[in-house]
Amino acid sequence: MNLLKLSLGVLTSFAGFLEAGSIATSLQAGASFRYALLWPILLGGICIAFLTEMSGRLAAVGRRPVVEATRERFGARYHAFAVTAHLLVDLLVLAAEIGGVSLALQLATGIDLRWWAIPVLLLLWLALWLGRFEVIEHGVAFLGLVTVAFIVAALKLGPDWGAVARGLVPHLPTHDGARYAFIAVSILGATISPYLISFYGSGAIEEKWGIRDLPVNRLTAGAGMGFGAVMAMAVLVLGAQVFAPHGIQPDRYLQTGTLLSGAFPRFGFALFVGSLGIGCFGAALELSLDTGYVAAQAFGWSWGEDLAPARDARFCLTYTAALVVATLFTLAGVEPMRLTMVSMALTVVVLPLPLAPLIVLMNDEAYVGNHRNGVVTNAAVVAILGIALVLALIAIPLQLLGGS
Amino acid sequence: MNGRARRTVWVLALAFACAGCGDPKQQAAKALERAASDAATLQLVMAAWATERIPDHYADDAVRDVGRSLTQSVRTVERLPAGTAGREVALRPLQALAGAADRVTGAIARHDRASAAALTPIVTDLELRVRQAARAAGSTAA
């Protein structure tokens, strides 16, 4: 087993986990319900670990990403529907991430986030245009280690461990049921994100994974997503420790700049700004690439971050267009946290579409040979699909009843 | 899409739109909840600024943001018909809170930490009154 590959994979998953969606939903959960909503993060973390493992296995054995295999196996009609929904959600989440980076720059400089939208767009585009997949993936992951500050701060402030343990078990709320359910659904939307699944598989193809990489895949998916979930839990715990006692329900990022100042009086503000900016920048890179991957795999174009742009022009054009469209939201002055919460709810609505084909694909010898799903993984994917279907039905009504 | 499916989509869309509008009392309760949260944010930002844990420009941005949100809450409550339960009780502390946020903004602009500190107990008292009004208006979260 290649230890370097394994550690880089875990690091990438771990450090790339925290972005606008998980920060916003975890903060709102902690501020409004203290530790009571830790369980959706745990549940979402388990689900995404199973799903990314399957996506990686399909790529390593079948040499196809999920989107391409879905097109082949289910035909153009179903596929067109699923891909359109996937791309729309990618676009909205990308808009939220660009807003998050711009907001971090506003926090750092005092200059309104709308002025930062175009520079952020150019920086993202240049990184994608000039960078290679490994450099982008691992560079962002190493920078993303700054987000470990959330875990250190949560430990430093000393949470109520009994309440933390109770929060890991699903239970009904004592007040404000609609909002509790809405935030729980949003957390699941932020965690079980379709882009994470397709990006992971496409990344495995970029890195030319084969059958020998299956153990690495299993450990990367399990440990990486597990550590990532711990990071999101740390943000929730901080929300419970810093905002809940004051009765603050943050629905705008500008309210959250003091999150780390209690734990780190001198550098807390800078650490928060750095974590928000780097986390969102990394996610924006992954989402932009994912729009290119999904479109290219859907239409059978050539794709690959390591190819020269002239060799996969339509792939590059897709992520360029996605970046431009997503930037318009920030230019229009849409508050990033509100956009994030809406995009998380919409993610949940379309979630069953990209997940459903996995049940068939991961049991089809033509795609995964002898490495088909076992009883446990099949039970897991059926359970995840069941959860996704229920969430898809209730997400929009909950957005209206419980969204801020 | 056939006629029946189209009608169902329209009915669902209308139902969601109506649910989004909500009744005025519920809107006022939400505005008061948000105002209470804003008042608490204001105090946290003031405390962090007083101890130099956050830079001036962020304190300024955050307090202006709170001020804008409070003005929006005032407008929401003002739109309630005169005589609506809780309207008069809510309006005065909300307006006072919006005024206090403006004064804090001024103090930050002048780097006048003493004036900002003097405003802290006033904001604390107003936050309590807004939370009481929110409870009276039917909020479960305040």
Side-chain angles (χ1 to χ4, degrees):
Chain A
M1 189 186 301
N2 186 336
L3 198 63
L4 178 67
K5 202 175 213 177
L6 173 66
S7 51
L8 282 175
V10 172
L11 179 68
T12 303
S13 311
F14 168 41
F17 197 91
L18 211 63
E19 38 71 58
S22 48
I23 292 175
T25 53
S26 300
L27 270 182
Q28 292 206 350
S32 299
F33 299 97
R34 294 190 185 243
Y35 309 106
L37 279 167
L38 280 167
W39 65 266
I41 301 179
L42 179 66
L43 178 63
I46 293 169
C47 292
I48 195 66
F50 270 107
L51 294 169
T52 48
E53 188 279 330
M54 283 183 233
S55 173
R57 183 154 35 104
L58 182 67
V61 182
R63 306 294 167 111
R64 291 177 187 84
V66 178
V67 173
E68 192 180 317
T70 306
R71 187 195 63 189
E72 280 179 10
R73 187 71 172 72
F74 294 90
R77 202 165 172 174
Y78 174 84
H79 187 247
F81 199 48
V83 161
T84 307
H86 189 140
L87 284 173
L88 276 175
V89 166
D90 268 9
L91 206 59
L92 266 184
V93 182
L94 176 60
E97 305 298 348
I98 290 174
V101 184
S102 306
L103 198 277
L105 287 165
Q106 176 181 338
L107 293 177
T109 61
I111 298 169
D112 190 275
L113 81 165
R114 278 169 288 194
W115 289 102
W116 289 110
I118 301 289
V120 169
L121 160 72
L122 290 174
L123 201 60
L124 284 165
W125 184 81
L126 276 175
L128 292 171
W129 190 261
L130 302 174
R132 289 175 59 82
F133 183 81
E134 273 195 2
V135 174
I136 289 175
E137 189 185 22
H138 300 142
V140 168
F142 278 112
L143 287 174
L145 284 177
V146 70
T147 54
V148 174
F150 287 119
I151 295 180
V152 178
L155 293 173
K156 217 174 160 188
L157 294 181
D160 174 353
W161 289 109
V164 168
R166 284 192 295 279
L168 292 170
V169 181
H171 56 277
L172 292 172
T174 51
H175 64 90
D176 217 357
R179 185 164 168 75
Y180 178 90
F182 170 69
I183 297 177
V185 168
S186 300
I187 288 174
L188 288 167
T191 316
I192 316 172
S193 210
Y195 93 84
L196 281 176
I197 302 160
S198 57
F199 180 81
Y200 187 90
S202 303
I205 303 269
E206 292 259 26
E207 292 183 334
K208 298 181 177 55
W209 280 16
I211 291 175
R212 69 186 183 287
D213 294 307
L214 286 179
V216 176
N217 171 48
R218 200 168 298 134
L219 280 168
T220 302
M225 297 300 162
F227 284 137
V230 169
M231 189 93 84
M233 285 181 191
V235 176
L236 184 147
V237 167
L238 275 171
Q241 290 167 302
V242 176
F243 295 138
H246 297 279
I248 297 172
Q249 294 191 3
D251 57 3
R252 309 178 303 278
Y253 276 115
L254 272 176
Q255 287 177 286
T256 60
T258 52
L259 184 70
L260 296 175
S261 298
F264 309 110
R266 285 190 66 188
F267 306 110
F269 181 75
L271 283 171
F272 177 76
V273 171
S275 300
L276 179 68
I278 291 168
C280 293
F281 190 81
L285 283 174
E286 291 184 359
L287 278 153
S288 313
L289 275 180
D290 194 57
T291 57
Y293 288 147
V294 170
Q297 290 157 15
F299 293 106
W301 303 335
S302 64
W303 58 272
E305 177 58 7
D306 292 344
L307 293 176
R311 291 186 58 200
D312 55 1
R314 286 173 290 192
F315 165 74
C316 296
L317 182 66
T318 306
Y319 70 62
T320 304
L323 277 169
V324 171
V325 174
T327 304
L328 295 177
F329 288 84
T330 303
L331 284 173
V334 179
E335 210 289 323
M337 191 183 278
R338 287 183 181 159
L339 182 60
T340 303
M341 295 308 281
V342 172
S343 60
M344 292 306 115
L346 287 177
T347 299
V348 170
V349 173
V350 305
L351 197 53
L353 289 172
L355 296 191
L358 279 174
I359 295 180
V360 177
L361 293 172
M362 299 311 294
N363 286 286
D364 190 334
E365 275 188 13
Y367 289 95
V368 282
N370 295 329
H371 301 277
R372 283 171 294 170
N373 273 1
V375 177
V376 175
T377 36
N378 269 331
V381 77
V382 169
I384 293 166
L385 188 60
I387 293 169
L389 282 169
V390 173
L391 296 179
L393 288 174
I394 61 174
I396 298 296
L398 281 176
Q399 163 78 29
L400 295 171
L401 293 170
S404 49
Chain B
M1 194 185 286
N2 63 28
R4 194 172 179 178
R6 199 177 293 126
R7 273 198 301 280
T8 310
V9 169
W10 275 110
V11 169
L12 280 174
L14 197 65
F16 285 153
C18 291
C21 294
D23 72 299
K25 196 180 168 192
Q26 197 57 36
Q27 280 188 13
K30 277 201 167 184
L32 283 162
E33 264 176 44
R34 198 173 58 237
S37 167
D38 284 333
T41 304
L42 189 57
Q43 290 169 76
L44 203 60
V45 170
M46 287 161 76
W49 182 66
T51 49
E52 297 185 23
R53 292 178 178 193
I54 53 172
D56 290 351
H57 69 77
Y58 169 63
D60 186 50
D61 272 359
V63 174
R64 280 179 199 278
D65 177 61
V66 164
R68 278 193 297 273
S69 175
L70 285 169
T71 306
Q72 210 180 337
S73 299
V74 170
R75 286 196 192 126
T76 305
V77 175
E78 276 175 347
R79 276 199 296 269
L80 285 176
T84 305
R87 183 185 186 275
E88 307 310 322
V89 181
L91 204 50
R92 196 163 292 178
L94 269 182
Q95 286 167 334
L97 206 46
D102 282 347
R103 287 161 67 192
V104 175
T105 306
I108 290 173
R110 296 190 307 274
H111 295 276
D112 184 355
R113 286 191 160 81
S115 296
L119 285 165
T120 302
I122 298 170
V123 176
T124 308
D125 178 55
L126 289 170
E127 183 200 339
L128 278 174
R129 286 168 59 192
V130 168
R131 285 195 190 278
Q132 282 166 359
R135 271 192 289 272
S139 162
T140 51

